[in-house]
Amino acid sequence: MWQSHAEFHVYICFFEIPVLTNLIGSPLTMADLPPYPPIEPTTFDLIVIGTGLPLSIISAAASALGKSVLHLDSNTFYGTHFASLSIAELSSFLQNPPPPPPQTGRDTTFVNLTTRPLYSDLDISNFAPDLLAEHSRSFHLDVSGPRVLFCADKSIEFLLKSGANQYLEFKSVDASFMGDGTGALWSVPDSRAAIFKDRSLGLQEKNQLMRFFKRVQEHLLSYAAEEEEETSSRIAEEDLESRFVEFLEKMRLPHKIKSIILYAIAMSDYDQENIEDCKYVLKTRDGIDRLALYHASIGRLQNAPGALIYPMYGQGELPQAFCRRAAVKGCIHVLRMPVTSLHLDRDNGCFKGIRLASGQDIFSQKLVLDPALTVPLSSASSLVGHQHVSLKDCSGKVARAICITRRALKPDISNCLVIYPPRSLHPDQTTSIRVLQIGRNLAVCPPGMFVLYLSTLCDEGNQGKELLRLAINTLLTIPAPVNPDGNSSVECENSHNKEVRSTLLWSALYVQELSMVEHDFISSAPMPDGKLSYNNLLDATLKLFQKIYPDEEFFPETDLPDNSEEEGGLGLET
C-alpha cells in the first residue's frame, strides 16, 4: 500500500508541482493537511532528513547502489534551502519555525532535534500588493540565489552521469555586465568576438586583453600537449604560485582590465588588491583554471552562446530531479513529516533511528541531517563522554536579496548577470556583489516582470544588507510607498516616467549563516554557500557520500535497458 502512495506523491510533485495554500492564499500548515499513513517498512539502510540539493543527491546516489532509503522533509515542498517558492511560501520559510517537542524512552535515549536559525534580519517590502496578489502563483523564487551552472563545469558532467538531466531543461544566461555607482552597465568582454564588439574599451585596452588571453591559451595548450620540459609558452611555476593580481600587474594590465579578469571572469569574491581585507587569496594557478573553465563554457552547449545556463522553473528543479532519480530506484519520499527525536543507544551513543511527529519509530544505522537541524550540546554530552557537537565557521555570512521588478535592466535582455567588483559602490565594499536577472522565458515570473537575485559575503549582516541596498538603489527605481487605500503608486509613477529603467515591485533582504554543524555520531549536509556555481557544493556532497559509504562508487555507471527514459544529452530550451 505504501509503495503506491509514494509513487503517487512523487508524481504530483514532479509533474503538477502544486502550490499548497489555504483559501486566503497563505501556505498550508501541518494542521491544514491530513495525516500520513504509517510508513512501511520500518527499517532502512539510510535515512535522509531534508530535501536540499546535497541531501537529494545523497539519497539518489545511495538508491542507485540498491540501498533502502527513507527521505523525509517537514516542509510541503521539495528543496528546502535550494527550493524555488512562491512569495507566500518564501516569506514563511525564512521565519525558521521551531520543531515539535521531543519524547523519551527507557532502553533507547531519544535526543531532541532542534532547528538552528539559518536566516535572520528579514526585510520585506511590497510596492504593488494588488498586482502581485493577482499573479501570486506565477512566481518561483530561489531561496539561495544567485546561482548558475557553467556549461563546461563538473556539475554538467555530474547531471549526465547521474541521469538527473532527463528531468531538467535549461536556458542560457544571455549576457554578463559589470557595473559601478553611476548606474552604468557595460558588457564583459569574455571572448575574442566580444572584445572586438566592445565599445567600453579603447584600442590599447583591447590589445592588452587579447594578448593576455593568448598568453593563457598558450600556457594551457602546452599542458594539454603533455610537454615534459618547461617551455617558454608555459607560465613559470613561481608565477603560478603567486597571487593572481600580482601576475596581472606583471603583465602590465590596467586596473579596468584586471577588474574584468578577477571579478567578472575568475569570479573572485574578495578584494584581491588589498591583502588585509582579502579572506581568500586567489593564486595564479587557480585563476587560470577559472579562466579556462569560463572560456571552455562559452558556446559549449547548443543554443547557449554564453558561458552560463539556468534551469527552467528555478533552481528548485535540481533537488527535485535527484529525488525523482531516487524514487525510480525505490527511495520513499515523505513531505510534511517532521522528525522530533533521534534514537541513540544509551550505552555507546550510536545512532539507531528516529521518531516522527506522527509518533512512529523508524530504524536505521545511517542518517544525514539538513544543515538547519542539530542536537543540543547538553543532550549529546550527557549521553556518552566522547560525543561532540560543534559549529564550524565558514567565513561568516552571506547577505541575499530577491527583487521582483518591472522592465529588464537592459532592453531585450531577459537573463543576465551583473558584477559589482569590490570598492565599485562604496569605499568600504571589500567583496563582490553579484546580481542575476531572470525573466519570463524561464517560467519563474509573469510576463512583463523579472526576478533579480543579489548576494555578497559579509562578516556582519547589516553591513551586507547595506551593500545590497546600494546595488538595488543603483539599478532600480524605488517607488513611493503604497497609498492608504491599498493601491500602489507604481502604475501612476510608471505612466509619467519616461526614463526606461527597471522599477522595483517587491523585495526581500535577509542574511544566511555559513557556519556548519559537526557531529561525531551523525552527518550533516552542506548548506548553500556564497558561490555563483554549484562546484564547491558538489565537492562537499561527494566527500559526505564517501564518509557514509567509503567503499562504494558515487553513481556507478550502469547499462540501461532499452525502455529506459535516459537521455544522452542535456536538455536546453531554445
Side-chain angles (χ1 to χ4, degrees):
M1 180 184 71
W2 177 257
Q3 184 64 29
S4 63
H5 177 79
E7 290 175 354
F8 173 73
H9 191 64
V10 171
Y11 171 80
I12 64 170
C13 174
F14 290 111
F15 289 90
E16 295 183 10
I17 315 180
V19 178
L20 299 175
T21 59
N22 57 29
L23 293 179
I24 62 173
S26 301
L28 288 175
T29 64
M30 289 291 295
D32 298 317
L33 298 168
Y36 267 96
I39 296 175
E40 295 291 344
T42 58
T43 301
F44 293 84
D45 296 326
L46 174 66
I47 297 174
V48 179
I49 304 178
T51 53
L53 181 59
L55 291 159
S56 299
I57 292 173
I58 293 292
S59 175
S63 298
L65 295 172
K67 309 294 184 182
S68 59
V69 181
L70 175 62
H71 200 166
L72 306 169
D73 199 318
S74 61
N75 296 296
T76 58
F77 51 82
Y78 286 82
T80 52
H81 313 292
F82 296 85
S84 298
L85 306 175
S86 68
I87 294 176
E89 287 173 328
L90 178 74
S91 302
S92 175
F93 178 76
L94 294 175
Q95 299 299 321
N96 301 302
Q103 302 178 25
T104 58
R106 296 179 59 185
D107 298 329
T108 305
T109 298
F110 290 76
V111 178
N112 183 30
L113 272 181
T114 61
T115 299
R116 183 171 62 98
L118 297 187
Y119 308 101
S120 60
D121 299 319
L122 174 63
D123 291 332
I124 295 179
S125 301
N126 192 343
F127 300 100
D130 294 340
L131 178 63
L132 296 180
E134 181 183 349
H135 299 283
S136 61
R137 298 192 177 190
S138 300
F139 291 99
H140 301 281
L141 307 178
D142 296 345
V143 174
S144 59
R147 203 174 294 275
V148 296
L149 290 82
F150 285 83
C151 294
D153 68 15
K154 65 181 70 175
S155 59
I156 300 296
E157 304 304 325
F158 177 67
L159 288 173
L160 295 171
K161 179 181 179 182
S162 66
N165 63 295
Q166 64 180 300
Y167 309 115
L168 296 163
E169 295 288 345
F170 295 86
K171 280 194 175 182
S172 176
V173 176
D174 304 317
S176 295
F177 300 96
M178 292 185 68
D180 59 21
T182 68
L185 299 177
W186 59 92
S187 298
V188 175
D190 51 13
S191 65
R192 181 185 297 269
I195 293 173
F196 280 121
K197 293 190 295 184
D198 191 278
R199 296 183 179 180
S200 66
L201 298 178
L203 180 59
Q204 183 178 0
E205 291 173 320
K206 290 183 178 183
N207 289 334
Q208 289 173 316
L209 189 55
M210 286 290 292
R211 284 197 299 269
F212 174 76
F213 284 160
K214 182 179 179 181
R215 178 74 180 91
V216 171
Q217 185 179 27
E218 290 173 347
H219 168 79
L220 295 171
L221 287 174
S222 70
Y223 271 99
E226 298 182 352
E227 298 177 4
E228 295 184 1
E229 297 182 0
E230 187 171 316
T231 64
S232 58
S233 59
R234 285 193 183 182
I235 297 173
E237 189 66 26
E238 179 182 353
D239 289 332
L240 291 175
E241 291 300 318
S242 69
R243 293 167 56 205
F244 193 31
V245 66
E246 292 178 349
F247 177 71
L248 299 180
E249 291 168 354
K250 186 176 180 179
M251 297 288 291
R252 298 182 180 180
L253 297 176
H255 175 78
K256 184 175 183 178
I257 301 298
K258 286 191 296 183
S259 186
I260 291 171
I261 294 170
L262 286 169
Y263 306 109
I265 300 179
M267 300 295 176
S268 179
D269 295 312
Y270 294 97
D271 186 355
Q272 298 295 313
E273 298 185 82
N274 292 271
I275 190 66
E276 63 276 7
D277 294 325
C278 185
K279 289 190 175 182
Y280 177 82
V281 174
L282 183 64
K283 290 189 175 182
T284 302
R285 188 187 307 277
D286 297 329
I288 288 177
D289 287 343
R290 295 187 184 188
L291 264 62
L293 169 62
Y294 194 106
H295 287 157
S297 297
I298 296 176
R300 186 201 177 199
L301 299 178
Q302 186 180 9
N303 299 324
L308 311 174
I309 56 175
Y310 180 89
M312 294 281 293
Y313 302 101
Q315 70 161 315
E317 292 298 295
L318 294 171
Q320 291 192 60
F322 284 99
C323 286
R324 289 187 67 177
R325 198 67 188 145
V328 169
K329 298 295 183 178
C331 175
I332 295 178
H333 295 85
V334 187
L335 296 185
R336 55 182 175 85
M337 180 56 75
V339 176
T340 61
S341 310
L342 302 185
H343 297 233
L344 300 181
D345 188 280
R346 186 177 294 275
D347 295 327
N348 56 27
C350 292
F351 171 73
K352 296 183 66 176
I354 59 174
R355 173 159 290 179
L356 306 177
S358 63
Q360 184 180 7
D361 293 338
I362 304 294
F363 302 97
S364 178
Q365 294 184 346
K366 295 183 182 295
L367 171 72
V368 188
L369 282 178
D370 182 279
L373 296 176
T374 185
V375 176
L377 180 60
S378 57
S379 299
S381 59
S382 64
L383 291 173
V384 183
H386 67 268
Q387 296 294 3
H388 179 70
V389 180
S390 65
L391 282 178
K392 179 181 178 182
D393 188 12
C394 300
S395 302
K397 311 171 189 291
V398 55
R400 301 191 191 275
I402 305 173
C403 298
I404 298 173
T405 67
R406 174 172 292 168
R407 294 195 183 98
L409 297 176
K410 284 280 191 177
D412 302 322
I413 297 180
S414 293
N415 312 314
C416 65
L417 178 69
V418 178
I419 306 293
Y420 286 101
R423 321 286 178 181
S424 60
L425 292 178
H426 193 275
D428 295 330
Q429 177 194 348
T430 61
T431 56
S432 297
I433 299 173
R434 300 188 183 104
V435 185
L436 179 65
Q437 175 184 275
I438 301 298
R440 166 62 180 170
N441 65 339
L442 275 157
V444 299
C445 59
M449 298 185 195
F450 297 84
V451 178
L452 268 61
Y453 299 104
L454 301 89
S455 72
T456 189
L457 295 172
C458 57
D459 293 322
E460 300 295 333
N462 288 336
Q463 168 200 25
K465 286 172 62 179
E466 286 306 312
L467 290 176
L468 296 187
R469 286 192 179 97
L470 282 175
I472 291 171
N473 292 334
T474 300
L475 283 171
L476 307 176
T477 296
I478 312 298
V482 175
N483 294 330
D485 60 3
N487 295 321
S488 172
S489 60
V490 172
E491 295 290 341
C492 178
E493 179 177 330
N494 284 342
S495 63
H496 296 286
N497 185 7
K498 296 183 179 180
E499 181 184 359
V500 180
R501 194 179 185 196
S502 184
T503 303
L504 181 65
L505 302 178
W506 181 93
S507 67
L509 283 80
Y510 52 100
V511 178
Q512 180 209 305
E513 298 291 332
L514 290 177
S515 57
M516 288 289 296
V517 177
E518 292 186 338
H519 303 89
D520 280 349
F521 54 101
I522 50 177
S523 299
S524 290
M527 63 198 312
D529 56 22
K531 303 295 184 182
L532 185 65
S533 76
Y534 293 89
N535 287 344
N536 285 11
L537 282 168
L538 286 180
D539 290 340
T541 303
L542 174 59
K543 183 178 179 181
L544 175 58
F545 176 84
Q546 292 171 338
K547 174 185 175 183
I548 302 170
Y549 295 112
D551 299 322
E552 301 282 4
E553 184 180 355
F554 194 48
F555 283 105
E557 295 183 6
T558 58
D559 294 330
L560 298 170
D562 294 337
N563 62 350
S564 171
E565 298 179 0
E566 192 78 36
E567 296 178 1
L570 192 72
L572 194 68
E573 287 286 317
T574 58

